[in-house]
């Protein structure tokens, strides 16, 4: 029982920094996409 909780806690501790990094990358990617759509084809979306 205790080992299961330790495993769950370890997974959470390891996954949180990856999630933060992913969210930063995703928001940067979205900004690049929005900026890029207007440059190439104008305003047709």
């Amino acid at each position: 029982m205790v080992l299961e909780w330790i495993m769950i806690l370890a997974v959470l501790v390891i996954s949180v920094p990856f999630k933060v990094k992913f969210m930063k990358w995703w928001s940067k990617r979205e900004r690049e996409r929005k900026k890029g759509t207007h440059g190439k084809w104008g305003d047709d979306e």
Side-chain angles (χ1 to χ4, degrees):
M1 185 72 181
V2 175
L3 185 63
E4 293 165 356
W5 280 108
I6 292 172
M7 290 296 291
I8 291 168
L9 195 63
V11 168
L12 287 174
V13 167
I14 291 169
S15 68
V16 166
F18 284 110
K19 183 177 180 184
V20 170
K21 191 170 185 174
F22 176 77
M23 293 299 285
K24 286 181 181 176
W25 172 80
W26 186 261
S27 64
K28 183 181 175 186
R29 180 177 169 269
E30 287 296 308
R31 267 188 274 124
E32 293 288 325
R33 272 187 49 210
K34 285 185 179 178
K35 196 166 54 174
T37 54
H38 296 297
K40 191 173 182 182
W41 299 107
D43 283 335
D44 62 28
E45 291 176 310

